[in-house]
Amino acid sequence: GDGLQHFISIVCAMFKCENGYLFIDKIDNSIHYTQLDKIWKIIFEVSKKLRCQIFATTNSKDMIESFTKTLIKHKDKKVSFIELGLKDNEVKALVYDHDMIVYEAEQNNFLIGNSF
């Protein structure tokens, strides 16, 4: 279905963006929640081999939890998470590095929506 096509398009796009950047809007679009860990594992592994930096957007709590679990297993210190939120009518960004993401996960804090 559409989820499989989206999944394949992400992987193919990474190969086109070797040594570059890939921007994925709504990364979780049409992908079944049971496949989220698998897509993150593939993204982490393939992007590292291809030296392709991935920027992905989502507002899915499941996708962020999956990202966190996969990051902890993958142990790549070069991965970060950026949360955008509105505060005092201004868009603010919070950047979490690998260690901060692991710490938040260990505290059972979810990264989405806690800070704004």
Side-chain angles (χ1 to χ4, degrees), residues 31 63 79 82:
I31 296 176
M63 190 60 143
V79 176
I82 302 170

Side-chain angles (χ1 to χ4, degrees), residues 40-106:
W40 281 121
K41 181 179 185 288
I42 290 170
I43 287 173
F44 286 168
E45 290 173 0
V46 173
S47 65
K48 187 172 187 171
K49 287 179 186 174
L50 297 174
R51 296 178 308 280
C52 174
Q53 191 170 3
I54 308 293
F55 295 86
T57 66
T58 187
N59 56 3
S60 164
K61 185 175 179 180
D62 289 336
M63 190 60 143
I64 294 169
E65 288 175 4
S66 175
F67 167 84
T68 303
K69 284 190 303 185
T70 308
L71 172 75
I72 291 168
K73 290 177 190 173
H74 195 264
K75 300 178 184 174
D76 189 342
K77 296 275 188 174
K78 294 182 180 179
V79 176
S80 61
F81 175 88
I82 302 170
E83 181 181 9
L84 299 176
L86 192 61
K87 185 174 183 178
D88 300 327
N89 289 327
E90 286 187 42
V91 175
K92 302 285 184 175
L94 294 173
V95 180
Y96 299 83
D97 65 14
H98 175 273
D99 293 337
M100 291 170 68
I101 295 167
V102 171
Y103 174 80
E104 291 293 328
E106 288 171 348

